[in-house]
Amino acid sequence: MLSKVDVTISFRAKALAINNLVVARRYLDAFHYLEQLIAQLSEIKQPMAREQGLLVIAMMYKYVDLFENTVQYTALLESEASRPTALCTAKQLKLDALISAKKYDEFRAAYSDGLKTCEQSNDKLWANFIRLYNAHLLLTEKQPQGALVLLKDYYAEVESTKYPGLIAEFNSAMAEAYLALGDQTEATKHALYVAGQEDFSPSSTARLNSLQLLSTVAKAEKNYQQALGYHEQYMAAFTAYMDDKSAQQMAYHTAHSEILAQNQKIALLDKDNQLLQFEQTALKHQAAFNKLLIIALAVLVLGFAVMAYRSFVARQRFKALAEYDDLTAISNRYHFSASAKGALALCEKGQLPAALIVFDLDHFKQINDQYGHAAGDWALRQTVDTCRNFMRNNDVFGRIGGEEFAILLPGCQSDKAHLLADICRDAISNIDTAASGYEFKLSASFGVTSAEISGYHLTKLIEDADTAMYQAKQQGRNKVQFFQG
């Protein structure tokens, strides 16, 4: 049995290993250790070890967007922290979680205290991260001048930290503020600084925002070649960012599920052991009878298994025919409606955001008339395969008309839905149609709405998204239009 000293050393070693594994992007191993760390926390009494463990636990929950858990563990760390630096780190991480969760009122209430704590401990790094969160809040509230003043006042101090990530985040926020104020020159200068840095993650949010800003400015200046270049860099960085986030989420849920399954397996094994003891006693008196019974049961079970398997295969075949479009292999209108209504009900119950995209291929009838239905069918399949590349597993994708499609995005904010629609629109317009045997232009018009505007009823969402889509067609097609109410 481990002594208290050994348990503490093991606990601290796991906390250190988690940090190293995250840096190496070995997320599954990191979350396995996290589950062990949480289970061991109640046994740890040494203050420094508890501070280290609580900080790592809070940080890991933030990686997978479980912000309430982060706030819970940082609050525990605040109540126990014996060192000013640990208290500062706890308050910084808590404010980071609050701003990420969009709990702006709670952020404002805790902001001054958190900043004061870090200033008193002379921790310039975390103090300026806290100021950065406040600048982001000011930008969100359409106060770019206030955000810019705050960022410029502390920029020299940020540079003195020589921490590339913080410097890049400050420059990214300053670029956003300058653009909001109409100063494209300064906005471009700060965004270029971030885009040119190689000392921090190429898929960081600062780099993503800066590349998007540069593409927007270049497009506004009608420098389309440069805008396309920045957009391609943005898409590459965005894909890397989403892949990393997906890997973190998958690793967390896998590790958590494995621990639950392991605990259940242990409980089942205990019950199995008890059952085996009873069976062994009974088998001593009924061995011969049980052999015959087992043979009879085996034959019976085999017969039922064959029948059940055949029934299952038949049901699956009929289910696929009834629910999925045989051309594109996505949900037909009936199955899309049923799945989407279920997802919307869950979103409404949990007060989660939701968005709906409706799009329609432009001039599709001309493609059928000019090149034949085989080319039209090819275009529909390519459109579906292209759009699928950008969707999450829980998004509901369906063909609701001849060349009309709908995508329900549970848990998705309207701005992210608009971005996805624009990505799909751009990808469709770049499909190489030569593989169909003909060369023709393929494009689509998109309409987007959200539950915040249209409510959680599918019929209303489709109606409003349809309205926006026809506005996109009236504006020249190959566009994304958001429903304005």
Side-chain angles (χ1 to χ4, degrees):
M1 185 174 179
L2 292 175
S3 68
K4 288 186 177 180
V5 175
D6 292 334
V7 171
T8 301
I9 293 173
S10 171
F11 183 82
R12 298 194 72 171
K14 288 186 180 75
L16 183 61
I18 289 172
N19 286 327
N20 293 332
L21 289 168
V22 168
V23 171
R25 288 183 165 80
R26 291 172 55 187
Y27 298 124
L28 184 57
D29 292 336
F31 281 110
H32 274 303
Y33 277 128
L34 176 67
E35 293 291 339
Q36 296 175 32
L37 209 65
I38 294 170
Q40 212 174 6
L41 183 61
S42 60
E43 303 174 35
I44 305 303
K45 305 302 179 186
Q46 207 269 342
M48 291 280 287
R50 285 186 64 83
E51 285 180 10
Q52 183 184 8
L54 287 168
L55 182 60
V56 169
I57 293 169
M59 175 189 69
M60 292 298 289
Y61 276 128
K62 185 184 178 299
Y63 281 150
V64 291
D65 297 341
L66 294 175
F67 302 121
E68 290 186 3
N69 294 32
T70 299
V71 172
Q72 174 189 342
Y73 279 97
T74 52
L76 187 58
L77 179 55
E78 285 183 58
S79 67
E80 296 184 13
S82 58
R83 296 175 300 139
T85 53
L87 186 59
C88 165
T89 304
K91 291 183 180 291
Q92 174 270 327
L93 193 54
K94 175 182 176 181
L95 288 167
D96 189 3
L98 290 173
I99 202 74
S100 299
K102 295 183 170 50
K103 294 187 175 182
Y104 300 137
D105 291 338
E106 293 180 39
F107 174 85
R108 293 187 191 92
Y111 171 72
S112 297
D113 178 58
L115 182 59
K116 181 180 178 182
T117 300
C118 290
E119 287 175 339
Q120 289 175 345
S121 64
N122 198 29
D123 195 326
K124 294 180 180 179
L125 183 65
W126 293 140
N128 281 297
F129 264 112
I130 291 173
R131 294 187 184 105
L132 175 66
Y133 306 149
N134 193 36
H136 282 309
L137 178 56
L138 291 171
L139 289 169
T140 300
E141 294 176 336
K142 309 299 182 186
Q143 300 181 49
Q145 187 62 49
L148 188 59
V149 170
L150 174 60
L151 294 165
K152 290 173 70 176
D153 283 349
Y154 289 94
Y155 187 71
E157 185 176 302
V158 167
E159 286 190 311
S160 71
T161 66
K162 297 183 179 179
Y163 186 72
L166 178 60
I167 297 171
E169 291 286 355
F170 256 65
N171 275 279
S172 174
M174 290 169 74
E176 186 178 347
Y178 274 120
L179 185 64
L181 292 168
D183 192 340
Q184 292 187 352
T185 302
E186 284 296 317
T188 301
K189 182 180 78 172
H190 288 281
L192 283 171
Y193 173 85
V194 178
Q197 296 304 300
E198 298 180 354
D199 296 336
F200 67 105
S201 171
S203 61
S204 69
T205 53
R207 182 176 176 81
L208 282 171
N209 293 338
S210 296
L211 288 171
Q212 190 174 36
L213 183 148
L214 289 169
S215 177
T216 300
V217 171
K219 189 174 181 181
E221 294 174 349
K222 301 188 184 304
N223 190 340
Y224 299 113
Q225 188 66 33
Q226 190 178 63
L228 180 60
Y230 284 129
H231 180 70
E232 289 175 347
Q233 292 182 56
Y234 166 79
M235 287 304 303
F238 178 77
T239 301
Y241 172 79
M242 292 305 296
D243 287 346
D244 199 43
K245 292 295 290 184
S246 296
Q248 292 171 5
Q249 292 279 354
M250 186 176 295
Y252 166 73
H253 290 294
T254 300
H256 191 64
S257 298
E258 286 177 358
I259 292 296
L260 291 177
Q262 189 177 40
N263 292 338
Q264 291 175 350
K265 186 177 180 180
I266 291 171
L268 287 172
L269 284 172
D270 289 339
K271 291 182 179 180
D272 286 345
N273 287 334
Q274 294 175 8
L275 183 60
L276 282 172
Q277 291 175 0
F278 290 120
E279 287 179 349
Q280 287 172 358
T281 302
L283 283 172
K284 290 179 182 179
H285 304 285
Q286 301 180 0
F289 174 78
N290 283 346
K291 285 180 182 179
L292 294 173
L293 183 61
I294 288 171
I295 292 171
L297 286 174
V299 172
L300 187 61
V301 168
L302 182 61
F304 279 125
V306 171
M307 292 174 61
Y309 175 75
R310 290 178 177 174
S311 176
F312 172 78
V313 170
R315 284 199 305 272
Q316 291 299 106
R317 186 182 298 115
F318 290 134
K319 185 173 184 289
L321 290 173
E323 296 181 349
Y324 293 95
D325 177 52
D326 59 349
L327 176 64
T328 60
I330 60 174
S331 296
N332 58 26
R333 187 180 186 96
Y334 169 79
H335 187 236
F336 172 81
S337 297
S339 301
K341 286 176 182 177
L344 285 168
L346 289 174
C347 290
E348 185 175 17
K349 184 178 180 180
Q351 287 299 294
L352 297 173
L356 181 76
I357 299 172
V358 170
F359 68 95
D360 182 283
L361 292 182
D362 298 327
H363 304 300
F364 183 72
K365 185 176 184 302
Q366 293 179 13
I367 296 173
N368 276 336
D369 292 344
Q370 190 170 352
Y371 304 105
H373 288 283
D377 290 348
W378 181 91
L380 291 172
R381 287 193 296 269
Q382 288 297 309
T383 297
V384 168
D385 292 343
T386 298
C387 294
R388 265 179 168 168
N389 292 330
F390 307 106
M391 292 183 200
R392 305 167 300 173
N393 289 336
N394 65 329
D395 293 338
V396 185
F397 189 17
R399 182 183 179 190
I400 60 174
E403 65 274 15
E404 188 173 7
F405 301 89
I407 308 169
L408 179 71
L409 305 166
C412 183
Q413 299 286 354
S414 56
D415 57 340
K416 299 297 188 303
H418 193 284
L419 174 62
L420 174 62
D422 198 48
I423 290 171
C424 290
R425 180 203 60 76
D426 185 61
I428 291 170
S429 68
N430 285 308
I431 291 175
D432 183 2
T433 60
S436 70
Y438 305 96
E439 292 190 5
F440 51 87
K441 184 62 180 173
L442 199 58
S443 68
S445 300
F446 286 74
V448 185
T449 189
S450 68
E452 182 180 0
I453 296 175
S454 304
Y456 289 93
H457 293 287
L458 181 62
T459 303
K460 178 61 174 170
L461 284 162
I462 291 177
E463 179 184 332
D464 292 345
D466 256 340
T467 300
M469 182 188 73
Y470 282 110
Q471 290 173 355
K473 285 187 178 293
Q474 291 167 3
Q475 294 172 13
R477 293 182 169 82
N478 193 23
K479 296 182 182 298
V480 177
Q481 179 67 32
F482 193 85
F483 182 71
Q484 300 297 325

